[in-house]
Every structure is written in C-alpha cells, then in structure tokens.
Amino acid sequence: MRRRDKEGPVDDFTDYQKQGGVAVITFRNPPVNALGIDLRKGVAEYIDKAAADGDVTALVLTGDGRCFCGGADIREFGSPAIEPMIRDVIDRIESSSKPVVAAVHGVAFGGGFELALGCHFRVAAPSAQFALPEVKLGLIPGAGGTQRLPRLIGAEKALGIVLTGDPVGAEDALAMGIVDEVAGGDLVAAAVAFAEARVADASPLKRARDLEAPKPPDGFFDGQRQKIERRARGLIAPWYCIDSVENAVKLPFDEAMNKERQYFVECRESDQSKAQRHIFFAERQAAKIPGIAKEPAPRPIETAAVIGCGTMGGGLAMNFANAGIPVTVVETDPQALEKGLAVIAKTYADSVSKGRLTDADRETRMGLIEGTTDYADIAGADIVIEAVFEEMDVKKEVFAVLDRTCKPGAILATNTSTLDIDDIAAATGRPEQVIGTHFFSPAHIMRLMENVRGRKTAPETIATVMTLAKTIGKVGVLVGNADGFVGNRMYHCYTRQANFLLEEGALPQQVDRALFDFGFAMGPFAVGDVAGLDVGWAIRQRRAATRDPNERYSPIADRICELGRFGQKTGAGWYRYEEGSRAPVPDPAIEDIIVGVSGELGIERRDITDDEIRERCLYALVNEGAKILEQGLAIRSGDIDVIWVYGYGFPIHRGGPMFHADRVGVKVVHEALSRLYDIHGELLKPSTLLEEMARDGLAFEDLHKEKTK
Ligand code: NAI
C-alpha cells in the first residue's frame, strides 16, 4: 500500500538514506520509476532536507528496481498540472550548493534523462541507456532536455539524440560527455565515492545551464531541416526539436527554456501527439487478450521452421535469426532453396554495407539459418510458419505433411493473407495448434503480425504466438478468421473506392496525391505497383465465381493486368517506370483505359475534389472497421488502428482510421456516409454500429472503455 506521511514526503515513492556525509535519494515507483506527482514531491522534499542538513555534503539520486527513471507519467498528460513539475524538481537539483550525482542504471529516458542532466555529475552502470524518446510520441523534451544536453555535449550530438529518440548506451554516453564515469559493481557505492571525491577536491559544480553550447558549423540546423523534410512531413514535433536545440546555441538559457516549454505545450495539446500517444497505448493494449490474460503460459520457442523461401519466407526466417532463434527453411527443390537463401544473404550483406549491421552479426544470423528440402529436418521445431503459394490445395497438402512430421505440441502457423484458417487447420489432426500469423512485406522490416485465431485454436497457441511477436520485435494483434482478416478486408474497401473514383473522373496520380497529402507514404495505386498487381488479380479471379453480380465492380485493374502490367517489377502498372527508377510516371495509356471504361459503363466523368477522394476512401475504411467490430473480429478499435499504422502505413500522427473517425466525429462520418450511400449505393451504406454510435453520441474510444470495464 502506498502511504503518505502527514508531514514528510511520500515515503513509499522515495527513500532517503545517509551514507556518511552523502544523502542517497532513491526513486521507488515501479515498474520504471515514472515521475508521477508523488515521486516528484518526495524528491523535491528530500532535496530540501539534504540542503538543510549540515552533516550532508553531497547527494546521490538513484532508482530502485530495474532502472533509474523511465520519464514522465504520460497518463498525467490529460489532467491539470500539479506542482512541483519535473522542471521545478530539476531546478532545485541544479541549484543545490552541494554536489548532486545521478547514479544511472537501466534506462534514463525522457524526463528521467532530463533529471539526470540537472544533476552536476552522472555515474552510469554499464547497463545504462539514455534517451529522449519524446519525438516518438509527437512531443519534444519539455524539462530542459533540448537545452541542457546541447550545452553539455554540443548541438550536433544533442540533436541526433533528440531527433531520433533512440537510446545511447553507457560507453557511448561516456565518450560523448553525457556521463562522467561508468562503474561496474555496486553503482550506488561508486556514485557515493564519486560524490565524496568531488567534495574532497572541491570540484566546481557542473551546472549545464551555465555552460555555453559549442556552436555547430554554419548551416547545420538548416541542413538538418532539409534532411528530415520527407520523414517529418505533416509532423510538428521534429521541427520544434530542431528549433529548440538551435535556441540552445542562440538564446540565453531562461529564454530558450521558455520557448521549449511553449513548443512542448503546443505539441502536447496537438491532435497528432494525442494520436501518437493513442497508438503507444493501443499497441500495449493489443497484447492483452480477454480470457487469455495470464494463463495459459506461452510455450517456449527455441527453434523454428519456415516453409517456402520466397518473398515472405525469406523475411520470416530473418525475423527468427535476428532474434537469435535457429530456423530451418524448407523449399520444394534445391534450386528454389538456393535462390531463396541467396536473397537472404544479399539482404544481410546490404545491411552491412549500409552500416546497419556488423559483419560479425551478419555471420551469426546467417549461421542460424539452415535450408532443406526434407520435411524430416524440421520434425523438432517448436513452431512452423508456412509461406508457400496462396492456394488452398497447396497449403492443405503442406499442413497434412506438417501434421505427420512435426513433434506433438509444435505450433503450425500459416502466413496466408486471405485463406480460411479453419479450412487449413482441418487438414491436420491438431487444429488447436493451428493459427494464422499474417506478416507484411518486407517481413523482416514491417512490424505488424496479424495473428488469426481459428475456431479451434487453443488459448495456449494464441498466447505463444502473441509472446513470439514480442520476442521477434513485432507488434502482435489478434483478430478473427474472416476473408482478408481485418487489415486486408479493410484495404479492399479502401482500394475499391479508389477504383470507383477513377471510373467517375479521377486519375491514379490525383487519388494518390490526395492520400499522400493526408499523410500516407504512398497512395493506393503507387502501393499496388510496389506490391505487384498480379497478386490481387489472382485473388479477384478466384473470387469471380462467387461475386454478387449486382455488386458494383470496377474492371480497370483487371484490364491493366491483362496487358501484363504488374507494377514496378514489369516496369509498368498504374504508372510507368523509367529503366532503373522507382519514381512513378503518369501514363497516358492508363488514362485511355480509364476513360474508356467510364464510357463503357456509361459514367459521365466529372471533376472530383481531393476532399471527396479522402472522404470516400477513408470513410469506407472506417465503415468496414465498424463492421469488423460489430462482428467481433477485432477486439478493440485500437487494435484496428495498430494494424493500420504498422501494416498499411496509415500516418501515425492521425492515430489510425478509428481514432481519426473519433477526431472528425463519428456523427460527421456517419452523415457523410449516409449522403454517399444515397449517391453511390450499398457499398457505402453506414454500418449498424456506426449508426447507433452516431445516434448515441459515442466515439470508438468509448466502446473500448466500456469493453475494458
Ligand atoms: P512467393 O511466391 O514469393 O513464395 C512462395 C515460395 O513457396 C516459393 O519459393 C515456392 O517455391 C515455395 N513453395 C511452394 N510450394 C511449396 C511447398 N509445398 N513446400 C515448400 N515450399 C513451397 O510467395 P510470397 O509472396 O512469399 O507469399 C507466400 C505466402 O505469404 C502466401 O500465402 C501469401 O498470400 C502470403 N503473403 C504474402 C505477402 C506479400 O506481400 N508477398 C504479404 C503477406 C502474406
């Protein structure tokens, strides 16, 4: 139980011990010592206590448990600020006339790092990691990080840390001048000894605020702005990170601090930071499966196998090897195997030449990947992921073999993007161990793992696969088994509207630009050209027999495929591509096809606005998401958002389609869809859930709250 003394600080959040003349103040707010109000109060009061105690000559600040401090408690963001704020605590530390030493182990992130920067010295354990990850949540550091760090280590290095949000390890931090000493063994003892030595030699206190930030070369900041132009399109925070660090070399400390605060508050209140924070929490929430909370325990995955070493199989094998898990890939014949393994080897070699991977790591990872054409070699694997051709008969055949070959208890997963998991599971005698693990291309890079639960999939299988996602650095989201699952089913509705818009008067480049302007990295037609148009064509051909003849269907994509234009790989698709270039060039031949189809269908082409494009494509997406929730195929609207951000390049600063709908207003979305339904018919008919939500004034967020109650 947390207890607050009537007079003293919050003892359960902070601890105060004297070791000789050194006061050791320990943060105690598990799991990461977040700087919530109770901890802040405790630290501030103990700093005062140490100041007032004539026997105390120096202070050490340290964290209990696994780390120094993970930063601000972002759950407090929505509530009114309560003093002392983090920056007040830091001021108090920095102004201390007695030396204050931060003893950092584990992470010192965000406000935790800023607090350490307010100390006069820093001693780090070899495990220490320093980062200012605010930019990843659409924020800038708001407690002096953009001011003290440049003054301590120079603007160039500081901006690197502020702009990437990535952690710096203890040795690098020492080399940069962030820490004064790296100490193995008992960290607090080392920090106390360090503090005593500073008292003994009467070292001047290093107050970052009083240092002058070394000036970077002329043009440095503008160069950085140019560098992030593409990556930071539509975002506020990265630009403010640069402005604020620039202020550190241009303005007096207090003035620059006030500006940092102003930028921080603007970011914090922005929809985009709210969106990024939503995704941060939704990602963590997605790991929690009602009914499979803690039990059953996931099975350990120590060895893996992948069937098929094509586009996806190769990437899947790399995921395991990157996580240190030995993996065997199975191909049909030695030539296909050799080809697949060569692609993996080349991908790793490219990473080495780009400086992203050391040669030693490349060797280790390649050493973890074996190839075979004999299923007997994978009999002992803990999990097998099948990534062969997208054909039910082929998949069933493979699963029948896996069932015969693999050890009891092995998980048999499929990377199918559309096929029925229950049908595949029926080819085995152990459907409870069969599950969909839908990865995205390129599989070693894209972070989403859409895990599909079949009717008979056991909780243990689900728990194992969700845990595996974390182990291999993916974001796992559990969905139900329906055609296209969640992501592709919604994607289909989105691209379908994009195609109709072509028939009605738009061109691919206009549709793509409107959605690019919304924040997507690429519009749907450019994406199609990258992914390969033949994939969707094959799926459409397969579905042709069962398609409702009364449902609107656009033949344009088929016409393009009939010309052998499959996208970038054939040098032409929705666009044409110059030899050796990936830049899409609008093609008059495509315009002819589109205009021709409009004529055949008797559609009079009209001017289409960018707003209509966004409305049609995005609201179709939201509407399908609502149907998916209605049918219980996704657990929460946040799960859908995570799927779209990590699997489909939905701009993270818009928070995913469902969060976006909440921002626009469910009522507004519903009204727009009702209007579009009147004009365009059934495919844009508002879903029942959306209708009810609009009537009751609910947002998707509210549904989620109700569900978690
Ligand atoms: P691919 O055609 O590049 O690779 C398939 C590989 O499987 C080929 O190398 C083939 O030789 C091998 N293969 C076929 N039958 C086999 C068998 N019986 N035993 C062993 N190996 C066999 O196909 P891709 O693109 O890698 O797709 C694989 C699966 O992943 C499909 O189910 C697809 O729908 C799914 N998927 C594909 C995505 C993509 O963007 N390419 C994205 C997400 C899922």
Side-chain angles (χ1 to χ4, degrees):
M1 279 292 285
R2 296 276 154 145
R3 174 180 56 80
R4 183 175 166 77
D5 283 353
K6 278 203 184 78
E7 293 171 12
V10 186
D11 283 342
D12 284 336
F13 287 86
T14 26
D15 182 61
Y16 184 94
Q17 300 280 331
K18 277 208 281 190
Q19 296 195 13
V22 179
V24 178
I25 300 173
T26 307
F27 313 150
R28 283 209 319 228
N29 188 16
V32 295
N33 296 321
L35 293 164
I37 181 58
D38 290 315
L39 179 54
R40 299 202 298 274
K41 279 190 174 147
V43 175
E45 287 176 34
Y46 279 140
I47 298 274
D48 290 349
K49 180 173 171 173
D53 185 339
D55 294 338
V56 170
T57 53
L59 293 81
V60 164
L61 300 187
T62 184
D64 192 19
R66 69 160 101 133
C67 67
F68 178 73
C69 173
D73 185 345
I74 49 179
R75 287 174 205 274
E76 280 184 9
F77 277 13
S79 346
I82 311 176
E83 296 188 337
M85 317 269 275
I86 300 177
R87 53 173 43 207
D88 303 329
V89 177
I90 296 174
D91 273 349
R92 216 176 285 212
I93 294 170
E94 197 172 44
S95 323
S96 162
S97 57
K98 301 173 184 179
V100 185
V101 179
V104 180
H105 74 293
V107 302
F109 280 3
F113 187 12
E114 292 176 298
L115 191 138
L117 289 168
C119 297
H120 307 123
F121 305 100
R122 282 152 295 279
V123 173
S127 68
Q129 289 200 311
F130 298 85
L132 293 170
E134 286 81 353
V135 73
K136 296 184 179 177
L137 295 178
L139 299 166
I140 76 160
T146 66
Q147 298 310 310
R148 291 193 176 86
L149 190 58
R151 284 173 165 81
L152 199 64
I153 64 169
E156 288 165 85
K157 289 194 193 106
L159 187 56
I161 291 173
V162 173
L163 256 188
T164 60
D166 291 339
V168 175
E171 287 301 334
D172 287 342
L174 181 66
M176 285 183 188
I178 294 172
V179 304
D180 301 280
E181 187 178 297
V182 174
D186 184 338
L187 177 68
V188 172
V192 167
F194 185 94
E196 283 168 342
R198 296 296 71 76
V199 173
D201 66 11
S203 301
L205 302 186
K206 208 165 40 166
R207 293 193 173 92
R209 61 174 296 143
D210 296 337
L211 304 174
E212 194 169 323
K215 291 228 173 348
D218 283 351
F220 168 73
F221 291 106
D222 283 339
Q224 291 293 310
R225 288 187 182 95
Q226 268 168 19
K227 226 164 130 184
I228 66 162
E229 187 106 44
R230 215 182 137 77
R231 180 162 54 90
R233 190 170 56 93
L235 303 180
I236 307 172
W239 304 95
Y240 274 150
C241 286
I242 300 181
D243 292 351
S244 201
V245 173
E246 187 170 17
N247 290 340
V249 299
K250 279 192 352 203
L251 300 177
F253 183 80
D254 289 331
E255 199 180 325
M257 278 294 279
N258 285 341
K259 285 205 181 280
E260 182 197 80
R261 181 80 197 151
Q262 201 183 309
Y263 301 153
F264 171 80
V265 171
E266 191 185 319
C267 288
R268 187 190 61 195
E269 299 309 313
S270 68
D271 272 352
Q272 50 183 260
S273 175
K274 287 178 190 149
Q276 285 176 256
R277 271 136 55 195
H278 160 71
I279 290 297
F280 177 85
F281 287 118
E283 182 183 329
R284 279 146 190 82
Q285 189 75 19
K288 300 189 179 104
I289 314 296
I292 313 184
K294 298 244 182 304
E295 299 288 331
R299 292 187 188 184
I301 299 289
E302 279 157 15
T303 56
V306 172
I307 315 296
C309 195
T311 310
M312 294 303 286
L316 293 177
M318 291 171 74
N319 282 333
F320 286 112
N322 295 349
I325 300 171
V327 55
T328 305
V329 288
V330 183
E331 261 293 349
T332 38
D333 60 66
Q335 290 76 22
L337 181 61
E338 198 181 317
K339 193 171 148 208
L341 291 175
V343 174
I344 296 176
K346 182 169 183 319
T347 311
Y348 277 137
D350 287 348
S351 298
V352 172
S353 58
K354 285 180 190 148
R356 293 191 190 137
L357 190 70
T358 65
D359 203 43
D361 282 344
R362 180 197 60 79
E363 213 173 304
T364 310
R365 293 177 193 194
M366 279 305 290
L368 289 169
I369 304 176
E370 296 277 331
T372 183
T373 53
D374 185 355
Y375 278 80
D377 292 339
I378 61 162
D382 296 317
I383 186 168
V384 183
I385 303 185
E386 164 279 314
V388 304
F389 304 131
E390 184 75 346
E391 283 167 36
M392 184 54 94
D393 291 345
V394 183
K395 303 243 189 230
K396 282 190 159 175
E397 227 171 84
V398 169
F399 272 78
V401 177
L402 292 177
D403 192 28
R404 283 198 301 275
T405 326
C406 295
K407 69 177 181 188
I411 289 180
L412 309 182
T414 168
N415 184 46
T416 177
S417 30
T418 49
L419 301 175
D420 187 334
I421 305 294
D422 292 330
D423 265 7
I424 296 174
T428 74
R430 45 173 123 173
E432 64 287 350
Q433 281 153 239
V434 176
I435 189 165
T437 50
H438 181 206
F439 291 78
F440 291 70
S441 181
H444 62 296
I445 291 176
M446 295 293 283
R447 296 203 48 217
L448 179 63
M449 190 169 158
E450 189 184 34
N451 297 324
V452 191
R453 133 195 244 167
R455 210 176 24 230
K456 296 190 179 158
T457 309
E460 192 186 20
T461 305
I462 295 172
T464 304
V465 161
M466 293 298 285
T467 304
L468 173 69
K470 238 187 247 160
T471 314
I472 61 175
K474 302 287 172 189
V475 180
V477 181
L478 186 70
V479 302
N481 180 29
D483 199 1
F485 314 127
V486 168
N488 280 349
R489 171 168 157 184
M490 289 172 71
Y491 192 69
H492 176 60
C493 296
Y494 166 78
T495 51
R496 185 164 60 187
Q497 289 303 320
N499 278 270
F500 293 159
L501 285 159
L502 299 185
E503 290 175 356
E504 293 167 36
L507 291 174
Q509 52 272 30
Q510 186 198 354
V511 174
D512 279 354
R513 202 204 49 243
L515 291 159
F516 175 84
D517 288 348
F518 176 77
F520 278 98
M522 278 188 271
F525 297 111
V527 168
D529 276 1
V530 172
L533 304 180
D534 48 332
V535 183
W537 192 30
I539 295 172
R540 290 195 298 278
Q541 282 169 334
R542 201 178 61 228
R543 290 178 178 158
T546 52
R547 186 178 303 127
D548 176 357
N550 296 318
E551 193 176 284
R552 184 174 173 186
Y553 178 83
S554 175
I556 300 174
D558 296 343
R559 298 280 168 88
I560 290 172
C561 288
E562 282 156 17
L563 298 173
R565 298 177 63 129
F566 295 155
Q568 287 192 4
K569 61 184 169 191
T570 57
W574 289 104
Y575 298 92
R576 61 187 183 79
Y577 298 87
E578 304 291 352
E579 185 76 30
S581 162
R582 290 183 180 185
V585 182
D587 190 342
I590 292 296
E591 185 169 347
D592 287 347
I593 294 176
I594 292 170
V595 172
V597 168
S598 306
E600 283 168 35
L601 296 173
I603 299 174
E604 194 174 324
R605 294 180 68 77
R606 61 188 169 87
D607 280 344
I608 294 192
T609 64
D610 289 359
D611 281 341
E612 179 176 353
I613 292 170
R614 286 188 281 263
E615 201 172 61
R616 291 265 294 269
C617 294
L618 297 171
Y619 293 174
L621 205 51
V622 173
N623 202 30
E624 198 63 18
K627 285 185 199 164
I628 282 168
L629 286 172
E630 215 172 281
Q631 293 163 8
L633 292 167
I635 298 169
R636 299 158 274 245
S637 62
D639 289 8
I640 298 179
D641 288 333
V642 170
I643 288 176
W644 270 79
V645 166
Y646 290 117
Y648 296 84
F650 196 97
I652 191 164
H653 64 280
R654 305 267 189 191
M658 313 319 274
F659 183 86
H660 176 63
D662 280 353
R663 291 292 119 184
V664 174
V666 167
K667 226 182 161 96
V668 174
V669 175
H670 176 259
E671 274 163 17
L673 278 167
S674 305
R675 173 170 41 81
L676 292 168
Y677 168 47
D678 287 343
I679 306 169
H680 301 285
E682 203 59 26
L683 293 177
L684 287 168
K685 182 177 180 189
S687 70
T688 312
L689 178 63
L690 208 62
E691 189 129 3
E692 288 170 2
M693 288 173 67
R695 188 195 58 209
D696 300 342
L698 287 175
F700 286 104
E701 266 173 340
D702 302 327
L703 299 180
H704 164 54
K705 276 180 211 143
E706 279 171 14
K707 236 179 206 171
T708 47
K709 262 182 211 160

